């Protein structure tokens, strides 16, 4: 059955191919529809199967024409018009546009001029020097393509956390419905909340392993059975592979610790155990102090733990280490000394300072966004639509006059709201680190989020200087999605996170963890580096509609990967403390 993410992906491809074909207007409509399809709160395919076409047509940005295409795809697995467009433009558009600076229009031109259809074709054309001979291109573009080919090839092999984790939740719900399953949990990178994952790993504790495997591969959401056996099985749901492993209940904790990883964490923990005459593996923790040959077998020694994961760490005298921290970045030493952080949770979040409305590229009104935030129990909420500037295309950015007009409307909504509403803007950090807002606008606003949207191919030294200059600006409250990356699409800026964190701490500017699952920017190691320099962070959703306020889930876990505690997160603070921080 087609997932929402899969359906959205077809319309994103549609938009890219139309843009590559120089079609105007339609691409933006298809992208808006794709975003709303992806974030729709229930499976669209289920609605169609139930004959509820009206629900599909009522999705924001989805009218009768797009709804017909959605129904066609769910029922047949194809969209005839998309297949015709693919035949007309046989381009691996998703792969090619992962190259920084190569968008759909560029991909279309390279196809028409040089016949480039794939990354291999692109590499051949760049290495032969043909690209720089195409009008509008040059040696710099050609070199950029060569430098980014490896990235483009690698990222296409992984799924976004925001697309894979909802499926993992569905898998867990299904396994929990099986009477023979005593416990189940995700494992691997998805349990560590990595921003992208290779596949979904799931572990189940049961004394009826073969029967559970049989029910798992017969699950009605399965599109393809890859393989199965008495202790494990692999299936495919949509475009995502799910691997199940069944273990006996008394070994569930040790297996969960082992299969959660990371590899670096497990190696370090295993070595820590060896130094204490212990052995760790997926079957348990074993005291091997009286054993001549600890490697004689997997279960050699006196088994002292394994039923629970916490017991595996306790057997070594360690605090239980949250999965997000298992990266071998000091977590074992902290667990030994009892100094693990009290990590931020979703319940700690009191508001969101970065959201969009129909004033720029959002899909709804200021009032609707504020109401949705209030419904989530927030104390405060910030509207931060786009200001005009570099990287903001299609006239979506607001002029100074329009910003001031919007501030008036925000104040009117705020007067009637049950929560505090901040009038903000998302300013654009240009190539030199300037934000381009007038003093009148700055004075009228409560919060300024400054973000990069252009010149994302700068070298690390230049990018660091640019971002440091932005956080030093006394008008800037939050540096939004600092790298400008889009996961599986573009790599964004490389920069020195420690230097940026130091500057942010000195100038009371928060660094954003952008919760959009396509961004998750800052990421775990960068958050940790910034916090070590004394910086504060803001976990924002960058929402463009009420449903995507749920993106906070991804941002919180990303911040946890960076060892963030509630005191580090400005939107976990009381309103009075936050107001004092804002310039």
């Amino acid at each position: 059955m087609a997932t929402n993410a899969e359906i959205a992906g077809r319309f994103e491809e549609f938009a890219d191919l139309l843009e590559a074909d120089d079609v105007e207007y339609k691409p933006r409509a298809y992208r808006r529809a794709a975003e709303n399809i992806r974030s729709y709160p229930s499976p669209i395919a289920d609605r169609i199967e139930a004959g509820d076409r009206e629900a599909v047509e009522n999705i924001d940005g989805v009218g009768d024409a797009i709804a017909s295409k959605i129904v066609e795809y769910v029922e047949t697995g194809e969209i005839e018009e998309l297949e015709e467009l693919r035949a007309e433009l046989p381009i691996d558009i998703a792969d090619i546009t992962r190259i920084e600076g190569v968008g759909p229009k560029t991909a279309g031109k390279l196809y028409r001029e040089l016949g480039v259809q794939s990354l291999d074709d692109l590499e051949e054309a760049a290495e032969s020097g043909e690209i720089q001979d195409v009008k509008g291109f040059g040696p710099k573009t050609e070199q950029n393509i060569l430098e980014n080919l490896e990235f483009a090839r690698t990222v296409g092999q992984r799924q976004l956390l925001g697309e894979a984790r909802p499926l993992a939740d569905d898998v867990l719900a299904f396994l929990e419905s099986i009477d023979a399953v005593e416990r189940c949990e995700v494992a691997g990178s998805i349990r560590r909340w990595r921003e992208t994952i290779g596949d979904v790993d799931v572990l189940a504790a049961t004394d009826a392993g073969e029967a559970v495997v049989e029910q798992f591969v017969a699950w009605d959401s399965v599109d393809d059975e890859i393989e199965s056996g008495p202790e494990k099985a692999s299936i495919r749901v949509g475009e995502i592979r799910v691997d199940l492993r069944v273990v006996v209940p008394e070994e569930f904790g040790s297996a969960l610790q082992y299969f959660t990883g990371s590899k670096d964490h497990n190696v370090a923990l295993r070595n820590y155990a060896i130094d204490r005459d212990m052995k760790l593996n997926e079957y348990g923790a074993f005291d091997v102090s009286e054993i001549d040959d600890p490697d004689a077998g997997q279960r050699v020694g006196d088994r002292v733990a394994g039923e629970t994961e916490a017991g595996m760490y306790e057997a070594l005298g360690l605090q239980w280490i949250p999965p997000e921290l298992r990266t071998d970045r000091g977590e074992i030493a902290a667990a030994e000394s009892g100094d693990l952080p009290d990590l931020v949770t979703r319940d700690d979040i009191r508001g969101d300072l970065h959201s969009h409305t129909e004033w720029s590229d959002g899909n709804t009104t200021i009032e609707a966004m504020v109401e949705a935030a209030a419904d989530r129990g927030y104390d405060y909420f910030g509207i931060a639509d786009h200001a005009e500037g570099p990287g903001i295309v299609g006239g979506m950015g607001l002029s100074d006059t329009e910003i001031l007009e919007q501030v008036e409307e925000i104040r009117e909504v705020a007067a009637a709201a049950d929560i505090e509403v901040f009038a903000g803007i998302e300013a654009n950090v240009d190539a030199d680190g300037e934000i381009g807002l007038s003093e009148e606008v700055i004075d009228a606003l409560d919060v300024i989020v400054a973000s990069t949207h252009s010149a994302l191919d700068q070298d690390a030294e230049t990018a660091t200087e640019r971002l440091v200059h932005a956080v030093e600006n006394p008008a800037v409250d939050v540096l939004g999605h600092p790298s400008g990356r889009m996961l599986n699409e573009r790599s964004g800026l490389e920069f020195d996170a420690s230097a940026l964190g130091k500057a942010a701490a000195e100038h009371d500017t928060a660094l954003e963890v952008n919760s959009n699952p396509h961004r998750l920017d800052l990421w775990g190691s960068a958050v940790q580096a910034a916090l070590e320099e004394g910086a504060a962070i803001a976990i924002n959703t960058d929402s463009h509609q009420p449903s995507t306020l749920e993106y906070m889930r991804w941002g919180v876990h990303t911040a946890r990967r960076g060892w963030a505690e509630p005191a580090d997160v400005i939107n976990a603070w009381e309103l009075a403390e936050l107001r004092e921080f804002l310039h």
Side-chain angles (χ1 to χ4, degrees), residues 171-191:
V171 174
L172 290 177
F174 172 71
L175 290 172
E176 288 168 352
S177 72
I178 300 175
D179 291 339
V181 174
E182 295 188 15
R183 285 180 288 172
C184 58
E185 181 58 275
V186 292
S189 58
I190 201 166
R191 187 169 180 237

Side-chain angles (χ1 to χ4, degrees), residues 461-475:
E461 182 178 356
T462 303
T464 301
E465 291 174 355
R466 170 191 186 183
L467 297 177
V468 165
H469 186 63
V471 302
E472 289 175 342
N473 188 324

Side-chain angles (χ1 to χ4, degrees), residues 236-258:
R236 194 171 301 282
V237 179
E239 299 174 351
I240 302 176
R241 174 176 172 137
V242 183
D243 294 329
L244 169 70
R245 182 179 293 266
V246 294
V247 298
V248 293
E250 57 267 27
E251 293 178 351
F252 181 77
S254 51
L256 183 60
Q257 192 286 318
Y258 180 85

Side-chain angles (χ1 to χ4, degrees), residues 20-141:
D21 204 28
D22 290 329
V23 174
E24 296 184 5
Y25 307 117
K26 254 189 174 182
R28 183 178 178 185
Y30 279 21
R31 289 194 179 99
R32 180 184 177 190
E35 182 178 355
N36 295 334
I37 291 166
R38 190 181 297 280
S39 60
Y40 193 69
S42 62
I44 292 172
D46 286 353
R47 296 295 185 96
I48 293 171
E49 190 173 316
D52 189 5
R53 177 174 172 138
E54 184 178 354
V56 180
E57 293 176 349
N58 287 336
I59 298 171
D60 285 342
V62 174
D64 181 67
I66 292 179
S68 296
K69 292 180 174 63
I70 295 173
V71 172
E72 181 185 358
Y73 182 73
V74 170
E75 293 181 345
T76 70
E78 290 185 351
I79 301 173
E80 184 178 355
E81 190 177 332
L82 176 58
E83 294 301 319
E84 292 172 356
L85 193 54
R86 284 172 170 172
E88 181 184 338
L89 290 172
I91 307 171
D92 294 336
I93 195 76
D95 288 347
I96 291 174
T97 54
R98 289 189 184 107
I99 300 286
E100 180 62 45
V102 178
K105 286 185 178 295
T106 299
K109 187 170 186 178
L110 290 174
Y111 170 70
R112 287 187 290 270
E113 297 285 338
L114 301 176
V116 170
Q117 298 182 37
S118 65
L119 286 176
D120 289 343
D121 294 341
L122 189 63
E123 182 176 29
E124 184 178 341
E127 287 181 339
S128 66
E130 293 179 273
I131 290 176
Q132 61 181 284
D133 293 333
V134 177
K135 186 178 180 180
F137 294 79
K140 184 177 179 181
T141 302

Side-chain angles (χ1 to χ4, degrees), residues 350-553:
R350 297 175 180 272
D352 190 337
L353 302 176
H354 182 179
S355 68
H356 296 265
T357 74
E358 61 189 9
W359 276 76
S360 62
D361 61 341
N363 296 332
T364 191
T365 63
I366 295 170
E367 186 175 20
M369 292 299 290
V370 171
E371 286 179 357
D375 289 343
R376 293 180 67 84
Y378 284 161
D379 297 333
Y380 45 80
F381 188 68
I383 301 295
D385 273 305
H386 287 288
E388 60 186 6
I392 304 301
V393 298
M396 293 185 293
L398 305 182
S399 67
D400 281 4
T401 299
E402 290 169 327
I403 294 170
L404 294 173
E405 290 173 356
Q406 189 194 36
V407 169
E408 291 183 12
E409 182 173 327
I410 292 172
R411 300 297 185 211
E412 291 175 4
V413 172
D418 295 327
I419 62 175
E420 189 77 9
V421 182
F422 293 115
I425 201 70
E426 184 178 10
N428 300 285
V429 178
D430 69 17
D432 298 319
E434 301 292 341
I435 63 170
L437 296 178
S438 70
E439 288 300 322
E440 183 182 11
V441 164
I442 290 170
D443 290 343
L445 295 167
D446 301 316
V447 57
I448 294 175
V449 179
S451 307
T452 57
H453 296 101
S454 62
L456 301 179
D457 57 352
Q458 292 176 321
D459 62 72
E461 182 178 356
T462 303
T464 301
E465 291 174 355
R466 170 191 186 183
L467 297 177
V468 165
H469 186 63
V471 302
E472 289 175 342
N473 188 324
V476 175
D477 299 295
V478 179
L479 182 68
H481 51 74
S483 80
R485 76 178 185 180
M486 295 294 285
L487 291 166
N488 285 3
E489 296 178 36
R490 67 185 185 216
S491 54
L493 296 170
E494 293 183 9
F495 55 87
D496 184 335
S498 295
L500 181 60
K502 182 178 180 181
E506 290 174 352
H507 294 272
D508 288 335
T509 303
L511 303 179
E512 183 179 71
V513 175
N514 189 292
S515 303
N516 186 312
H518 289 267
R519 291 190 183 275
L520 298 183
D521 177 13
L522 294 169
W523 50 94
S525 60
V527 170
Q528 186 177 6
L531 294 182
E532 287 174 352
E533 296 295 336
I537 62 171
I539 308 174
N540 295 322
T541 60
D542 197 356
S543 288
H544 287 62
Q545 60 190 37
S547 64
T548 53
L549 291 174
E550 182 59 27
Y551 285 170
M552 187 61 71
R553 180 188 192 190

Side-chain angles (χ1 to χ4, degrees), residues 298-318:
Q298 294 280 31
R299 294 181 172 88
V300 169
D302 181 17
R303 188 174 186 269
V304 296
E307 186 172 353
T308 69
E309 188 181 54
M312 294 291 288
Y313 289 94
E314 289 170 5
L316 298 175
L318 300 175

